[in-house]
Amino acid sequence: MQQALLAPPLRSNLDPRSPDFAENREAMLKKLEQLEALLDEAEQGGGAHHHERLAKRGKLPVRERIALALDPDSPFLEISSLAAYNSSYTIGGGAVMGIGIIAGVECVIFANDPTVLGGALTPYVSKKWMRALEIARDNHIPYVSFVESAGADLRMRGAGEKNESSSPASARVDHFAESGRFFYEMTELSKLDIPTVCVVFGSSTAGGAYQPGLSDYNVVIKEQSKIFLAGPPLVKMATGEESDDETLGGAQMHADVSGLGEYLAEDEPDALRLCREIVSHLNWRKAGPPPSLRADPPLLDPEELLGTMDPDLKRPVDIRDVIGRVVDGSRFEEFKPRYGPTLVCGFASIHGYPVGILGNNGVIYPESAEKGAHFVQLCNQIDVPLVFLQNLTGFIVGRDYEHAGIIKKGSQLINAVTNSTVPHLTVIVGASYGAGTYAMSGRAFNNRFTFIWPSAKIAVMGGKQIAGVMSIVRRGQAARKGEAFDEEADAQIRAAVEDMQEKGSIALEASGAISDDGIIDPRDTRTVLGICLSVVRNTPIEGAEGYGVFRL
């Protein structure tokens, strides 16, 4: 029997019978209800009529294709499921991407949704595609693509946002230039000994043709797959040659003549069977260590995570109440509990995987930053992945703290996080403001995965603070010009700015822009982290080398 971490279980500070808890829980459930409706909308893709049209042609919905490829009763961790929220594009962006288990192997799966603009490569599809390749590369896991794409979306406007100011023509040029990177990334995967498997479900035209062209293994489907650099109309215009889909680039031609298709399937279920067979022969082995500690469930009830976060993020939250409902047996060995208390650091395990955890209990003070830098170095010394739980408004400001070296010590924490080489997993549970986001391993810091709770807010600073700063600037400008200051107009501007900033900072806006890997139900935090900790074990867990631990 595996040994548990020799640390006492955390005690809860939550009172599930309090009015605050009830209010928090009710607000969270409403957010989750909204998310469920949006996920249902994403699953519909381009709409029911498109699904009906494809069904008449013997084609399966994109999520059903994925389900048939996965091992029975195995999980699928979808990434960026709400991409393109509040944009001019269909929610989900026109593609489904995530991590699932095929023939016992953890794989990245990227699938075009043919019900959305014929599977065209919108800017959101491109961002999800690039993220899929990044996950495969960073975690060294096989990359599986389900291709059915009409190629680039020639109708796109800017980056797809409703208020996009750039011209459609310039956006297409930018999109075309950036798309070339996909060819490089796919080729590099093969160079890194990361298998790439492609199943072509329909048309794969122009740049889309290079998805099978650059893959290690291709499955094509009889009388369904079409792969060509130019379809019959363009060939006619360019060369005068008359041809049809099947003769020009049909599945049987590529299996019999060109050699592009290694496997010819009778239909979609047969193609997915062949995909599973291919993955089964990859002889895949994880390079990292398996779970080493006992993976018993938390003693504290994860259901109570629904009531932890104030919907306005104004009431303080003890991050230990989150930690205790996520880690094995609620056990947590806290590091320096009496020093720099606004940053909670300590050792735990999640589904048997040892982890170091950093969680916020308020703004980051100089002592907190110092402690965090020390702890990150310790985890690198012993090759333990880091989990960051973000809920902070940034670094502390003010004269006393400048004198105490908040810039210097804050930079030490950022330096330690930057140079850390163990896997980083980040969950934004509340506020994520200012440079504190970077110190707590925000998305820009190459962390392996970033997820957010529905309660999360992400911004340079809070809306009230931004509106207040701008008001002070306007007041100063008026004073320098010797003009009267219009208090009524200023109050209206402040209210408008605060409202705009508040709406722009919510989790849905961030996730819609693909600035994270998705919004998760707080109760699923332990499961999601467990899946990610398993995925990162496909590479060796090795801490930073070249320096020891120094007491900063």
Side-chain angles (χ1 to χ4, degrees):
M1 183 177 180
Q2 289 181 312
Q3 181 182 352
L5 185 74
L6 296 178
L10 287 166
R11 295 182 179 180
S12 179
N13 294 306
L14 278 181
D15 180 5
R17 294 167 295 183
S18 71
D20 286 349
F21 182 94
E23 180 185 337
N24 294 350
R25 185 177 184 278
E26 184 63 26
M28 184 65 78
L29 287 172
K30 285 182 179 178
K31 289 179 184 293
L32 291 173
E33 187 177 339
Q34 180 189 13
L35 285 176
E36 199 63 39
L38 290 171
L39 290 171
D40 288 343
E41 183 181 338
E43 190 167 347
Q44 282 296 308
H49 62 290
H50 285 294
H51 285 278
E52 291 167 4
R53 179 174 57 84
L54 290 173
K56 289 176 182 177
R57 294 159 56 191
K59 293 192 172 188
L60 300 169
V62 62
R63 284 178 171 79
E64 194 168 331
R65 290 171 178 172
I66 293 172
L68 286 173
L70 298 177
D71 291 354
D73 300 321
S74 66
F76 179 65
L77 179 60
E78 188 169 345
I79 304 293
S80 295
S81 53
L82 299 178
Y85 168 80
N86 199 28
S87 80
S88 58
Y89 284 90
T90 302
I91 193 164
V96 179
M97 187 264 285
I99 299 170
I101 301 172
I102 301 175
V105 179
E106 288 161 335
C107 301
V108 176
I109 301 173
F110 175 80
N112 299 114
D113 186 348
T115 69
V116 181
L117 299 176
L121 300 178
T122 69
Y124 291 99
V125 171
S126 296
K127 288 183 77 172
K128 290 176 80 165
W129 186 9
M130 185 61 80
R131 179 62 181 137
L133 294 167
E134 182 180 54
I135 291 172
R137 183 185 65 245
D138 291 350
N139 298 287
H140 204 86
I141 59 177
Y143 171 79
V144 177
S145 57
F146 292 169
V147 177
E148 184 166 8
S149 173
D153 175 16
L154 301 179
R155 301 176 294 173
M156 70 183 185
R157 23 182 309 193
E161 298 305 322
K162 291 178 179 177
N163 299 317
E164 180 60 51
S165 59
S166 63
S167 71
S170 65
R172 283 196 291 269
V173 170
D174 291 343
H175 184 51
F176 175 75
E178 292 171 357
S179 294
R181 183 68 187 181
F182 299 123
F183 300 165
Y184 177 90
E185 294 284 346
M186 287 191 66
T187 306
E188 188 181 45
L189 289 184
S190 187
K191 181 183 74 174
L192 296 171
D193 296 329
I194 299 173
T196 54
V197 180
C198 179
V199 183
V200 183
F201 284 92
S203 177
S204 185
T205 310
Y210 284 101
Q211 293 187 66
L214 297 171
S215 295
D216 298 339
Y217 303 89
N218 287 319
V219 179
V220 292
I221 304 171
K222 188 182 296 184
E223 298 178 353
Q224 187 167 315
S225 304
K226 307 287 188 293
I227 309 169
F228 26 59
L229 293 183
L234 183 53
V235 169
K236 171 70 173 176
M237 291 300 298
T239 69
E241 178 184 312
E242 296 278 359
S243 59
D244 60 75
D245 284 356
E246 282 296 327
T247 305
L248 184 64
Q252 195 150 343
M253 187 282 291
H254 282 302
D256 296 348
V257 181
S258 78
L260 180 61
E262 281 75 46
Y263 303 87
L264 179 64
E266 292 294 323
D267 53 23
E268 292 197 7
D270 189 43
L272 293 164
R273 176 188 64 79
L274 288 166
C275 174
R276 289 178 51 78
E277 283 187 9
I278 293 167
V279 176
S280 73
H281 83 238
L282 294 177
N283 193 27
W284 199 253
R285 297 178 300 277
K286 289 190 178 186
S292 58
L293 296 172
R294 198 169 71 228
D296 44 340
L299 293 178
L300 301 177
D301 188 359
E303 186 73 22
E304 293 172 350
L305 290 171
L306 293 174
T308 55
M309 303 305 300
D310 169 20
D312 296 321
L313 304 182
K314 293 179 179 177
R315 288 193 287 264
V317 176
D318 189 343
I319 200 67
R320 297 175 187 85
D321 283 327
V322 175
I323 295 170
R325 290 166 173 81
V326 170
V327 302
D328 296 340
S330 300
R331 293 181 293 272
F332 185 63
E333 179 194 329
E334 189 164 351
F335 176 74
K336 284 192 175 182
R338 300 171 67 89
Y339 188 77
T342 61
L343 182 61
V344 175
C345 304
F347 299 97
S349 65
I350 298 175
H351 284 282
Y353 295 107
V355 294
I357 297 178
L358 294 92
N360 303 115
N361 262 357
V363 296
I364 299 178
Y365 285 82
E367 298 86 355
S368 309
E370 180 185 319
K371 177 172 77 171
H374 187 180
F375 183 72
V376 167
Q377 292 175 18
L378 289 173
C379 289
N380 272 263
Q381 189 182 59
I382 59 175
D383 300 340
V384 168
L386 289 163
V387 174
F388 295 83
L389 301 175
Q390 290 191 10
N391 182 26
L392 77 163
T393 53
F395 287 100
I396 192 70
V397 296
R399 182 181 58 193
D400 290 345
Y401 303 109
E402 296 291 355
H403 291 182
I406 185 60
I407 295 175
K408 180 178 69 175
K409 294 189 176 181
S411 297
Q412 289 169 351
L413 176 55
I414 291 174
N415 192 309
V417 171
T418 301
N419 286 287
S420 169
T421 57
V422 296
H424 293 189
L425 309 177
T426 300
V427 183
I428 305 171
V429 301
S432 181
Y433 295 158
T437 300
Y438 311 137
M440 290 294 291
S441 198
R443 181 69 174 266
F445 275 62
N446 290 333
N447 48 354
R448 298 289 184 90
F449 295 97
T450 302
F451 293 94
I452 60 177
W453 281 10
S455 50
K457 293 181 181 178
I458 304 169
V460 175
M461 63 179 75
K464 189 179 290 293
Q465 288 73 27
I466 291 176
V469 167
M470 293 173 66
S471 174
I472 292 170
V473 171
R474 288 193 298 274
R475 193 179 295 273
Q477 289 173 337
R480 285 192 296 275
K481 294 177 181 179
E483 299 173 351
F485 188 68
D486 190 333
E487 298 286 354
E488 184 176 343
D490 181 69
Q492 292 177 347
I493 294 172
R494 287 183 66 163
V497 169
E498 187 174 340
D499 181 64
M500 180 183 69
Q501 292 293 332
E502 184 70 16
K503 289 178 179 176
S505 70
I506 64 172
L508 273 171
E509 290 288 343
S511 206
I514 317 183
S515 66
D516 53 69
D517 291 317
I519 304 176
I520 60 173
D521 186 321
R523 295 167 293 187
D524 293 334
T525 304
R526 171 178 165 81
T527 299
V528 170
L529 287 174
I531 292 171
C532 293
L533 286 166
S534 176
V535 169
V536 302
R537 288 314 199 279
N538 283 276
T539 59
I541 306 296
E542 297 176 350
E545 297 180 358
Y547 62 84
V549 174
F550 26 90
R551 292 184 172 273
L552 302 169

